[in-house]
Amino acid sequence: MGNEIRFRRVLLKLSGEAIADKKNGEIFDSGIIDKIAGIVKRLTDDGVEVAIVIGAGNIWRGVYGKGLNRARADEMGMLGTMINSMRMEDALETAGCRVTLMSSIPMQGFAEPYDFRKARRHLEKGKVVILGGGLGTPFITTDTAA
């Protein structure tokens, strides 16, 4: 008997720290990222629609921005989420997933502009949708965006 699908659509929220190589002090742990991509691939193969939001704590935290305007420090964090999103996009494609990276911040050439209708259509077509850049507004974490 196969796996029973409990949810048709899921949103996976990952902290940046979850994909970091803490042991070696690197921003990415390829083994963990590949493992996550494999799990997501199995979910999509079972018909689950998957969207992903990733934080940027492995790259940047607002507290690192001492002396910076808080809004600017948060914007730097949004760019960190895009770096993490692009890394996850690559891992998912390598695992055999069809994936679309969308961003609330215009990033032509890197990501499709976020539109909830398009995101829903991508999910319905079996694509994984990665949502980068948070809400594109300072003072709001990726946890809130998720």
Side-chain angles (χ1 to χ4, degrees):
M1 191 182 244
N3 294 333
E4 179 183 336
I5 297 174
R6 297 184 72 188
F7 302 100
R8 185 176 68 85
R9 181 178 293 159
V10 297
L11 172 65
L12 175 60
K13 168 49 173 91
L14 299 169
S15 68
E17 291 90 344
I19 62 171
D21 183 345
K22 296 172 208 73
K23 181 179 175 185
N24 296 310
E26 300 290 331
I27 63 172
F28 298 123
D29 182 324
S30 294
I32 289 173
I33 292 169
D34 292 344
K35 184 175 183 176
I36 293 167
I39 292 167
V40 170
K41 172 69 170 139
R42 286 193 301 276
L43 287 170
T44 59
D45 286 349
D46 287 342
V48 178
E49 298 172 0
V50 180
I52 302 173
V53 173
I54 310 173
N58 59 322
I59 297 171
W60 179 259
R61 289 200 162 283
V63 297
Y64 300 156
K66 290 183 179 170
L68 283 177
N69 175 290
R70 167 68 194 276
R72 178 58 67 186
D74 284 356
E75 289 169 341
M76 293 168 75
M78 290 178 227
L79 291 174
T81 71
M82 290 304 299
I83 292 168
N84 285 340
S85 295
M86 293 168 74
R87 176 62 181 92
M88 186 58 67
E89 177 187 36
D90 184 73
L92 288 165
E93 288 174 342
T94 299
C97 292
R98 294 182 310 128
V99 59
T100 297
L101 172 56
M102 302 184 91
S103 175
S104 56
I105 304 163
M107 297 210 134
Q108 186 175 350
F110 293 98
E112 183 177 318
Y114 175 74
D115 176 286
F116 78 92
R117 289 173 196 89
K118 286 183 181 179
R120 190 176 339 144
R121 282 194 295 273
H122 287 311
L123 290 168
E124 290 167 352
K125 291 178 182 177
K127 288 185 176 182
V128 176
V129 176
I130 302 174
L131 303 162
L135 291 178
T137 311
F139 310 108
I140 299 175
T141 71
T142 54
D143 292 340
T144 302

